[in-house]
Amino acid sequence: QNKGTEIAFRINEEGVRISGKLLMDGQKFIYDTEEMKIWYDGTTQWTLQMGNGYNELYINNPTPEEQQAINPYQLLSSYKDNFTATDGGEKSLNGKLAHMVKLHANDESAELGSINIYITNDGTLSLLELIAPDDRAYKIEVRSMRNGLTFPKDTFTYSAKDYPADEVIDMR
């Protein structure tokens, strides 16, 4: 058993809001929203798309490049190699003063052009702004975060019993 993190979040992309939860433990994670749930155990990724009473399950072993786009651990741990950090100053977020760190992609063809990270004065991560090279912005508001959690060994593995799928597409 390991120590991990649970984050409740809300994503805002061009007026569309999605709320969910993220569990992380090293490279393993679960991304959980009303319409999609993703499990990644460090090797295999299961993506369950749910809608209109029909569940499709996609199974693959993602490449490092594919993981970069979806795995929060990969994104955050790669910042030293893939981004240049600058001080973005202070900004008020929901009545709290937050410090912004701007990360600019070193590679102009990267999927993310920049990331703005907002940390409140008490050290809490409160907002991430992911900005694509075409200036589309995704705002991820951190609603709550708990660290030092212990997850059972099978937490990051898909369970057909708990989440039955109508169709399984195995792309491994």
Side-chain angles (χ1 to χ4, degrees), residues 2 6 42 50 52 77 84 95-97 112 128 133 152 161 168:
N2 299 306
E6 177 184 84
M50 304 167 283
N52 299 325
S77 65
T84 300
K96 288 186 176 179
L97 199 56
L112 287 175
L128 293 170
K161 180 180 147 239
V168 176

Side-chain angles (χ1 to χ4, degrees), residues 87-154:
D87 185 344
E90 292 187 329
K91 180 178 179 180
S92 179
L93 290 175
N94 300 322
K96 288 186 176 179
L97 199 56
H99 192 84
M100 180 175 57
V101 176
K102 290 178 146 268
L103 301 177
H104 299 280
N106 295 332
D107 180 355
E108 290 183 20
S109 66
E111 284 191 40
L112 287 175
S114 61
I115 303 171
N116 297 331
I117 303 170
Y118 294 89
I119 301 168
T120 58
N121 286 341
D122 64 2
T124 304
L125 174 65
S126 61
L127 179 68
L128 293 170
E129 291 176 325
L130 310 177
I131 303 162
D134 65 2
D135 288 334
R136 281 181 304 129
Y138 306 87
K139 292 185 179 185
I140 303 172
E141 179 185 347
V142 176
R143 313 281 285 176
S144 67
M145 182 174 357
R146 297 186 309 147
N147 292 307
L149 302 177
T150 302
F151 298 116
K153 187 177 180 182
D154 63 351

Side-chain angles (χ1 to χ4, degrees), residues 27 29 40 45 62-83 103 105 110-112 115 130:
Q27 292 191 24
F29 71 92
Y40 180 67
Q45 180 173 302
T63 65
E65 293 77 22
E66 291 168 332
Q67 274 298 302
Q68 188 74 37
I70 188 88
N71 187 330
Y73 176 83
Q74 293 279 345
L75 176 65
L76 295 175
S77 65
S78 71
Y79 83 93
K80 288 181 184 177
D81 296 328
N82 299 326
F83 294 90
L103 301 177
E111 284 191 40
L112 287 175
I115 303 171
L130 310 177

